């Protein structure tokens, strides 16, 4: 394990504070005591199929009931086999026959200060029209659709419209470059791309349509036949005749009647690309029935969401958190979900608190990196606003350091709101380890206990549980409804990455999360961060391989090694060690050029914070770059541990000398 990981273990071990759920919260909560949580957990453990089957029946609408809850042919699972369901129906239509018809489904706030509210009836209408527009462009059940959008209601509308007609969506974060977009469209063999002219981000306009044009230039993504463009930023864009269509034009022609397609439980709902330790990003595949149930139940119990709540998750829909906890989970519950286009920025550092006050937000879900940024900006910003509407806080994306937790609890939550620290992943679909806010006592920095039906453990590389409170690998030992089903077009990669990393014994497969963790004497989980070559920058997963490949694609670069360095605000920052082709020599200009190059290849989030030139990289005799050493050097620490496998020791001395 890395130096950084060891440091985390130590600092966390000293954490002894315990916070009971506030009694006022517990009294009104769905799950209001530890024993109720324990009962649910025990029930799910004793008979997972019965547990999930009962909930599926009570909580969701099915066109046709399943005949088997779980079919587990390790490592391939099918949930609710034979069932027919549509998640857009569960998120929209079923609320229309209740009083919720005219309740706000989405409250949207734009970065420049414009806003819109869509009731369930209005959202349903828009989704039906959007679905019909896609049909008009030839999209049928099973066709993949790329979505490259700013955070505007049409992003949610497009996703729900895809789900409605059974066209799997693949959302690509609007901050990704044209190159990254192209790779994902090609891998998913997308037939249609949905985008906008531009989107607002930090007071600039991101030219989304221009990026799409670049991705599609020279037949870059040959399966793409049409582009559907939503008007947002009003700037001039090129519209390719025959290929590009304005949404507001098509909207005039289509009907608002579009029945939801009864989907098989196991039909693909979406593909979402995420970074792995090696190679290209993986297309994580989620299917319909199990994902619907899992995001529904976790939203209901972990956010304790009620009809009177205004719920706000600050994620972008380009990430899994946006999929599960801005769109599907909240809307399936008939909740009011707030969506914000902007982020805190120098021109508006207090914007989050303005929004909490303006809409009376009750449940607020954000990331540790945001919390650390708020700490730096100072307490005066949240203190200047009325945050008394808040009743529950959540965090996700990376381990939260106990001091950031305490600040969040005190300054934002006024010491009255429980905090639910939710550990989960793109692959898990929904929360896996997280506190039930009315039931589980909180320890700052711990994601606490697993969700009912989740059998989590900490093991060594042979799959044996570690002793006592030692650190090890976080694994899941039983399938759960929200789990990924495969890696798109790559079942072998699914098998080897997730289920064979820890070798299965007697057909007992365990899911390898890629995270290190520790379990304390109360059974609480303490997540220690990634154990693979994944860097977590502000809660965004980036593979070191991807950034290295981007660097090496520049003509000046011979070889590159990328590592993470602990960063107070971002969690980790990116440090790249680069050797140059002989014709080139190090310069400030080249550093800027390389940073720009990575930004173009992957996106601004992958831009290295630091680039260091070196004559050679430290390697093992078998030629593997010793990232462990580079990590120590990057963070200015002494190189500890075994260096005997190093091929050329002088490389290390030169690097230390600040080559
Ligand atoms: C939901 C999401 C997953 C990785 C995961 C872990 C880290 C997420 C965390 C957390 C500690 C938490 N992570 N939540 N670490 N405590 N509450 O972030 O998905 O983008 O796939 O990232 O994020 O390292 O493995 P994804």
């Amino acid at each position: 394990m890395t130096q950084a990981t060891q440091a985390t273990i130590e600092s966390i071990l000293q954490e002894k504070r315990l916070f009971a759920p506030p009694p006022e919260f517990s009294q009104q909560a769905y799950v209001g005591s530890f024993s109720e949580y324990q009962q649910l957990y025990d029930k799910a453990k004793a008979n997972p199929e019965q547990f999930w089957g009962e909930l599926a029946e009570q909580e969701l609408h099915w066109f046709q009931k399943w005949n088997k809850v779980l079919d587990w042919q390790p490592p391939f699972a099918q949930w609710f086999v034979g069932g027919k369901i549509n998640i857009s129906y569960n998120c929209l239509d079923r609320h229309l026959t209740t009083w919720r018809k005219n309740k706000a489904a989405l409250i949207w706030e734009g970065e420049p200060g414009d806003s819109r509210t869509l009731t369930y009836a209005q959202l349903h209408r828009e989704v039906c029209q959007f679905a019909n527009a896609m049909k008009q462009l030839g999209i049928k059940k099973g066709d993949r659709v790329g979505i490259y959008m700013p955070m505007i209601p049409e992003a949610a509308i497009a996703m729900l419209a895809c789900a409605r007609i059974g066209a799997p969506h693949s959302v690509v974060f609007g901050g990704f470059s044209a190159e990254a977009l192209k790779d994902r469209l090609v891998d998913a063999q997308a037939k249609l791309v949905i985008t906008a002219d531009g989107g607002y981000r930090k007071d600039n306009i991101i030219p989304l349509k221009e990026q799409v044009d670049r991705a599609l230039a020279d037949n870059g993504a040959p399966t793409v036949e049409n582009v559907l463009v939503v008007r947002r930023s009003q700037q001039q864009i090129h519209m390719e005749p025959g290929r590009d269509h304005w949404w507001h034009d098509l909207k005039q022609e289509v009907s608002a009647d579009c029945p939801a397609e009864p989907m098989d439980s196991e039909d693909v709902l979406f593909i979402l690309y995420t970074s792995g330790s090696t190679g290209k990003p993986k297309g994580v595949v989620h299917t319909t029935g199990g994902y619907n149930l899992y995001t529904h139940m976790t939203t209901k119990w972990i956010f304790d969401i009620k009809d009177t709540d205004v719920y706000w998750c600050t994620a972008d829909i380009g990430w899994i958190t946006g999929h599960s906890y801005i769109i599907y989970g909240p809307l399936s519950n008939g909740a009011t979900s707030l969506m914000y286009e902007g982020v805190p920025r120098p021109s508006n550092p207090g914007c989050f608190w303005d929004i909490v006050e303006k809409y009376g937000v009750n449940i607020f879900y954000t990331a540790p990196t945001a919390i650390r940024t708020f700490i730096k900006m100072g307490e005066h910003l949240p203190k200047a606003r009325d945050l008394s509407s808040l009743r529950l806080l959540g965090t996700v994306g990376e381990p939260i350091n106990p001091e950031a937790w305490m600040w969040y609890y005190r300054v934002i939550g006024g010491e009255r709101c429980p905090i639910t620290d939710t550990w989960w992943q793109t692959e898990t679909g929904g929360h896996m380890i997280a506190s039930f806010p009315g039931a589980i006592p909180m320890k700052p920095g711990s994601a606490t206990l697993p969700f009912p039906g989740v059998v989590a453990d900490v093991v060594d590389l042979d799959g044996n549980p570690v002793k006592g409170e030692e650190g090890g690998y976080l694994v899941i030992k039983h399938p759960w409804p929200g789990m990924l089903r495969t890696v798109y077009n790559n079942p072998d990669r699914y098998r080897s990455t997730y289920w064979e990393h820890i070798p299965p014994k007697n057909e007992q497969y365990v899911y390898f999360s890629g995270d290190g963790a520790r379990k304390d004497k109360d059974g609480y989980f303490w997540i220690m961060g990634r154990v693979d070559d994944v860097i977590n920058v502000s809660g965004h997963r980036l593979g070191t391989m991807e950034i290295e490949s981007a660097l090496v694609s520049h003509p000046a670069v011979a070889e590159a090694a990328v590592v993470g360095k602990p960063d107070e605000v971002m969690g980790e920052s990116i440090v790249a060690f680069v050797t140059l082709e002989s014709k080139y020599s190090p310069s400030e200009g080249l550093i800027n050029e390389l940073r720009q190059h990575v930004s173009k290849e992957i996106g601004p989030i992958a831009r290295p914070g630091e680039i260091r030139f070196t004559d050679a990289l430290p390697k093992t005799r078998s030629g593997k770059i010793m990232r462990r050493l580079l990590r120590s050097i990057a963070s200015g620490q002494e190189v500890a541990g075994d260096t005997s496998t190093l091929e050329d020791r002088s490389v290390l001395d030169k690097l230390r000398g600040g080559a």
Side-chain angles (χ1 to χ4, degrees):
M1 251 169 250
T2 66
Q3 293 285 317
T5 310
Q6 282 164 16
T8 324
I9 308 174
E10 279 164 28
S11 67
I12 275 168
L13 274 172
Q14 292 152 14
E15 183 53 56
K16 294 271 187 287
R17 286 168 285 200
L18 187 73
F19 293 82
E24 316 79 71
F25 193 97
S26 299
Q27 273 151 26
Q28 59 77 59
Y30 283 120
V31 181
S33 68
F34 191 79
S35 63
E36 279 173 64
Y37 158 77
Q38 192 70 55
Q39 273 168 24
L40 287 170
Y41 193 85
D42 292 346
K43 185 174 173 192
K45 188 155 190 195
N47 192 342
E49 294 187 40
Q50 188 191 348
F51 177 79
W52 291 117
E54 279 174 16
L55 290 173
E57 190 136 28
Q58 279 161 27
E59 300 282 335
L60 300 181
H61 165 273
W62 297 83
F63 296 106
Q64 184 183 303
K65 200 183 156 176
W66 58 92
N67 38 50
K68 197 165 194 273
V69 173
L70 170 64
D71 181 4
W72 178 224
Q73 315 263 350
F76 296 95
Q78 293 189 53
W79 284 88
F80 306 106
V81 183
K84 297 273 184 208
I85 186 169
N86 186 296
I87 196 169
S88 126
Y89 188 97
N90 275 310
C91 288
L92 301 168
D93 306 52
R94 65 168 168 159
H95 305 311
L96 302 185
T97 53
T98 71
W99 70 271
R100 287 184 183 134
K101 181 175 176 191
N102 296 318
K103 172 183 175 176
L106 283 181
I107 296 178
W108 173 80
E109 177 87 9
E111 188 183 277
D114 45 347
S115 58
R116 274 163 77 187
T117 297
L118 288 160
T119 63
Y120 273 95
Q122 289 169 325
L123 182 61
H124 173 261
R125 185 183 162 80
E126 294 270 331
V127 168
C128 288
Q129 287 181 307
F130 209 99
N132 281 332
M134 286 198 292
K135 281 188 187 165
Q136 199 161 307
L137 296 176
I139 296 302
K140 293 185 299 296
K141 184 172 168 176
D143 290 337
R144 270 85 54 216
V145 175
I147 298 182
Y148 186 61
M149 288 279 269
M151 282 287 286
I152 56 176
E154 282 74 13
I157 292 166
M159 289 164 74
L160 289 161
C162 285
R164 195 163 188 85
I165 62 175
H169 55 69
S170 181
V171 182
V172 179
F173 172 55
F176 275 132
S177 68
E179 273 299 308
L181 171 65
K182 181 176 82 181
D183 288 348
R184 286 158 175 76
L185 294 174
V186 167
D187 192 82
Q189 299 146 295
K191 211 167 148 187
L192 170 71
V193 180
I194 300 167
T195 190
D197 46 359
Y200 293 91
R201 198 167 177 89
K202 297 196 179 171
D203 302 317
N204 290 316
I205 290 177
I206 304 187
L208 292 166
K209 173 61 169 59
E210 211 178 294
Q211 305 271 40
V212 172
D213 290 342
R214 261 190 231 136
L216 300 184
D218 305 322
N219 212 15
T223 52
V224 174
E225 293 170 4
N226 290 291
V227 180
L228 184 49
V229 189
V230 176
R231 181 174 277 162
R232 166 66 183 138
S233 57
Q234 316 281 343
Q235 90 259 38
Q236 276 295 318
I237 54 165
H238 167 74
M239 292 292 280
E240 182 72 25
R243 186 194 71 181
D244 301 347
H245 315 264
W246 282 110
W247 157 233
H248 56 256
D249 287 342
L250 291 187
K251 198 175 179 179
Q252 307 301 320
E253 304 165 16
V254 290
S255 106
D257 179 27
C258 177
E261 181 77 29
M263 301 298 290
D264 195 276
S265 290
E266 283 299 334
D267 278 336
V268 176
L269 174 62
F270 65 84
I271 305 167
L272 184 58
Y273 286 83
T274 190
S275 297
S277 48
T278 52
K280 289 198 306 187
K282 297 174 282 222
V284 168
V285 173
H286 282 287
T287 59
T288 309
Y291 176 84
N292 192 350
L293 180 64
Y294 201 69
T295 51
H296 181 97
M297 288 320 303
T298 47
T299 303
K300 182 167 177 171
W301 284 342
I302 298 298
F303 295 130
D304 191 53
I305 209 156
K306 303 282 165 47
D307 262 319
T308 45
D309 284 320
V310 174
Y311 158 88
W312 180 19
C313 163
T314 68
D316 190 284
I317 47 119
W319 311 114
I320 190 69
T321 307
H323 284 56
S324 300
Y325 298 115
I326 296 178
I327 317 283
Y328 292 119
L331 298 182
S332 181
N333 278 282
T336 297
S337 183
L338 194 151
M339 191 173 169
Y340 178 45
E341 186 184 26
V343 289
R345 52 201 180 278
S347 65
N348 197 352
C351 60
F352 276 19
W353 320 122
D354 290 346
I355 292 174
V356 170
E357 183 180 273
K358 176 172 173 188
Y359 294 103
V361 172
N362 308 105
I363 304 171
F364 179 69
Y365 189 35
T366 197
T369 182
I371 297 164
R372 290 191 297 262
T373 308
F374 301 141
I375 297 174
K376 279 211 155 167
M377 288 173 175
E379 287 183 31
H380 63 284
L381 291 167
K383 289 241 161 95
R385 291 288 169 262
D386 179 2
L387 306 183
S388 60
S389 59
L390 291 171
R391 67 180 195 94
L392 172 63
L393 305 174
T395 149
V396 59
E398 49 179 324
I400 182 164
N401 34 314
E403 291 323 311
W405 194 101
M406 287 306 304
W407 188 91
Y408 196 30
Y409 186 70
R410 182 174 58 82
V411 179
I412 306 304
E415 298 183 28
R416 115 197 130 254
C417 305
I419 296 179
T420 181
D421 178 353
T422 61
W423 176 82
W424 61 293
Q425 308 178 296
T426 305
E427 293 86 344
T428 69
H431 304 145
M432 298 295 278
I433 302 178
S435 67
F436 275 59
I440 299 181
M442 300 163 275
K443 299 186 188 184
S446 168
T448 75
L449 299 170
F451 197 77
V454 172
V455 186
D457 204 356
V458 179
V459 301
D460 64 21
L461 263 189
D462 294 323
N464 302 314
V466 296
K467 285 196 229 68
E469 299 185 29
E470 275 173 28
Y473 300 96
L474 179 57
V475 297
I476 311 294
K477 293 183 160 172
H478 190 274
W480 66 101
M483 66 191 270
L484 80 164
R485 298 302 195 264
T486 189
V487 171
Y488 189 65
N489 274 342
N490 205 341
D492 291 340
R493 196 165 172 199
Y494 166 74
R495 181 189 281 277
S496 61
T497 311
Y498 299 108
W499 298 96
E500 289 179 348
H501 204 95
I502 307 274
K505 279 186 232 154
N506 314 323
E507 283 297 292
Q508 285 293 315
Y509 279 75
V510 297
Y511 170 83
F512 179 76
S513 67
D515 280 319
R518 191 176 68 78
K519 206 161 59 160
D520 71 15
K521 59 175 185 350
D522 300 324
Y524 277 48
F525 286 83
W526 299 82
I527 315 295
M528 287 148 29
R530 304 290 306 192
V531 293
D532 51 12
D533 289 328
V534 171
I535 305 180
N536 192 329
V537 182
S538 301
H540 300 153
R541 264 166 82 169
L542 296 164
T544 51
M545 276 288 295
E546 290 164 70
I547 306 172
E548 287 163 8
S549 313
L551 283 165
V552 175
S553 73
H554 187 281
V557 176
E559 202 174 21
V562 165
V563 296
K565 164 179 164 181
D567 181 278
E568 221 180 288
V569 173
M570 296 183 289
E572 280 186 291
S573 67
I574 302 168
V575 181
F577 293 86
V578 167
T579 64
L580 291 176
E581 294 285 355
S582 53
K583 294 201 295 286
Y584 294 83
S585 42
S587 70
E588 271 304 311
L590 187 55
I591 290 181
N592 288 334
E593 195 177 318
L594 293 178
R595 294 179 74 225
Q596 205 40 47
H597 179 72
V598 175
S599 186
K600 186 179 138 282
E601 291 289 309
I602 306 176
I605 46 166
R607 185 168 32 210
E610 236 179 277
I611 292 186
R612 299 200 196 174
F613 296 114
T614 167
D615 295 340
L617 294 169
K619 288 189 188 165
T620 62
R621 282 155 230 265
S622 62
K624 281 206 176 63
I625 296 172
M626 295 184 73
R627 286 204 177 71
R628 177 173 60 86
L629 304 185
L630 291 174
R631 259 182 233 125
S632 307
I633 291 164
S635 53
Q637 289 168 349
E638 258 313 293
V639 174
D642 185 18
T643 54
S644 62
T645 51
L646 192 62
E647 190 197 31
D648 176 1
R649 283 203 58 90
S650 71
V651 170
L652 195 58
D653 298 332
K654 279 195 205 143
L655 278 169
R656 268 210 223 105

